[in-house]
């Protein structure tokens, strides 16, 4: 399978714990996005990478959230001191480096439940 | 900041009826994309529109980009049960060149 993969698929954690999610984009895709989606809502933009550079981060994102893409391939999203309001589906998407091609290919997501 | 709105929020149709969802942006877009998300699934890319007034068709689906590049529509002719899902528009442009803002989606139910 050469699609976008995310790990883990499900994560249950207690409030106050730190969690880290991993995203492996489609190979050769240089753009990578993280989104958060809650029930009945559209994906909410969190952050965007072009290669290893984090070019944009949502102002909605508190400093408890951090993302990295150290070698321009896989990416990690860490949430520190989780809160119940962080419970959501975290989606990763990648986009090809072809000029003008901005379509995004989504992974299956990581469902986070904070108890 | 840039906002993307969609109407209706929900639509229930009888199989065979037509369906349309409308998308409006608060700012001019460089392009707009449409995605479909099946229940329990992840968004799947359908199409991208770039030019003012552009119309694209995919079988029973017709996508349109407004002349001012601030609105778009998706029309499905003769819906089938396989069309069930939530349809999102996603706009790129406004104050951020690369960020894509998703609308809240229109959830389509098809009654067989």
């Amino acid at each position: 399978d050469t699609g976008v993969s995310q790990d883990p698929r499900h994560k249950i954690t207690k409030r106050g714990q730190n969690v880290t999610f991993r995203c492996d984009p489609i190979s050769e895709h240089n753009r990578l996005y993280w989104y958060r989606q809650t029930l009945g809502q559209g994906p909410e933009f969190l952050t965007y990478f072009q290669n290893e550079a984090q070019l944009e981060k949502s102002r909605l994102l508190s400093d408890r959230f951090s993302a990295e893409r150290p070698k321009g391939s896989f990416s990690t999203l860490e949430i520190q001191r989780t809160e119940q309001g962080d419970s959501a589906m975290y989606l990763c998407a990648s986009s090809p480096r072809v000029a003008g091609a901005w379509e995004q290919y989504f992974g299956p997501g990581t469902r986070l439940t904070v108890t | 900041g840039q906002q993307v709105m969609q109407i209706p929020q929900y639509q229930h149709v009888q199989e065979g009826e037509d369906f349309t969802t409308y998308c409006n942006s608060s700012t001019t877009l460089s392009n707009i994309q449409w995605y479909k998300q099946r229940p329990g699934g992840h968004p799947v890319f359908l199409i991208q529109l770039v030019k003012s007034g552009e119309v694209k068709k995919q079988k029973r689906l017709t996508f349109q980009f407004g002349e001012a590049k601030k609105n778009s529509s998706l029309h499905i002719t003769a819906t089938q049960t396989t069309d069930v899902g939530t349809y999102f528009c996603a706009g790129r442009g406004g104050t951020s060149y690369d960020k894509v803002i998703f609308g809240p989606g229109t959830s389509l139910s098809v009654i067989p």
Side-chain angles (χ1 to χ4, degrees):
Chain A
D1 187 346
T2 56
V4 178
S5 62
Q6 292 187 246
D7 183 69
R9 295 290 304 275
H10 303 273
K11 179 71 177 178
I12 300 174
T13 191
K14 293 186 177 180
R15 185 166 54 93
Q17 297 294 306
N18 299 344
V19 294
T20 300
F21 309 142
R22 177 179 170 125
C23 170
D24 286 89
I26 295 172
S27 59
E28 294 147 15
H29 279 196
N30 65 333
R31 304 184 193 120
L32 188 147
Y33 300 80
W34 284 99
Y35 294 89
R36 177 171 62 189
Q37 187 177 30
T38 53
L39 196 62
Q41 301 297 316
E44 176 189 14
F45 172 82
L46 294 179
T47 191
Y48 159 69
F49 290 86
Q50 184 164 307
N51 299 311
E52 65 275 8
Q54 186 175 22
L55 296 187
E56 187 148 7
K57 185 176 176 180
S58 170
R59 281 174 287 180
L60 300 174
L61 217 59
S62 76
D63 56 8
R64 295 185 299 107
F65 288 72
S66 62
E68 294 183 341
R69 195 183 182 196
K71 298 182 180 179
S73 56
F74 74 92
S75 175
T76 58
L77 176 69
E78 181 183 16
I79 309 174
Q80 295 182 329
R81 305 180 304 281
T82 51
E83 302 172 355
Q84 288 189 322
D86 297 332
S87 294
M89 177 72 84
Y90 289 83
L91 294 165
C92 173
S94 68
S95 192
R97 64 172 72 242
V98 177
W102 291 92
E103 66 268 24
Q104 297 181 41
Y105 297 85
F106 282 82
T110 295
R111 182 169 296 283
L112 173 66
T113 303
V114 182
T115 61
Chain B
Q2 180 187 356
Q3 290 186 323
V4 176
M5 295 146 283
Q6 279 185 259
I7 55 169
Q9 186 177 1
Y10 302 98
Q11 185 80 58
H12 305 278
V13 299
Q14 202 77 33
E15 189 173 17
E17 291 182 338
D18 293 355
F19 159 77
T20 304
T21 173
Y22 300 92
C23 176
N24 287 284
S25 171
S26 58
T27 58
T28 302
L29 301 170
S30 58
N31 66 49
I32 195 158
Q33 300 160 22
W34 285 91
Y35 293 79
K36 177 182 178 182
Q37 186 172 24
R38 294 181 185 273
H42 56 273
V44 174
F45 174 77
L46 294 177
I47 208 158
Q48 174 176 282
L49 303 171
V50 178
K51 299 176 183 177
S52 169
E54 188 171 13
V55 178
K56 286 188 176 180
K57 292 190 176 184
Q58 288 180 350
K59 298 182 181 178
R60 295 179 293 104
L61 278 61
T62 302
F63 303 84
Q64 190 165 4
F65 201 7
E67 294 290 340
K69 300 184 75 173
K70 295 181 72 174
N71 60 336
S72 181
S73 64
L74 158 60
H75 179 83
I76 302 178
T77 304
T79 54
Q80 300 175 358
T81 55
T82 53
D83 296 325
V84 166
T86 301
Y87 292 86
F88 295 100
C89 63
R92 182 175 153 265
T95 57
S96 172
Y97 190 72
D98 291 323
K99 186 167 66 176
V100 174
I101 302 297
F102 279 75
T106 295
S107 177
L108 173 64
S109 299
V110 178
I111 305 163

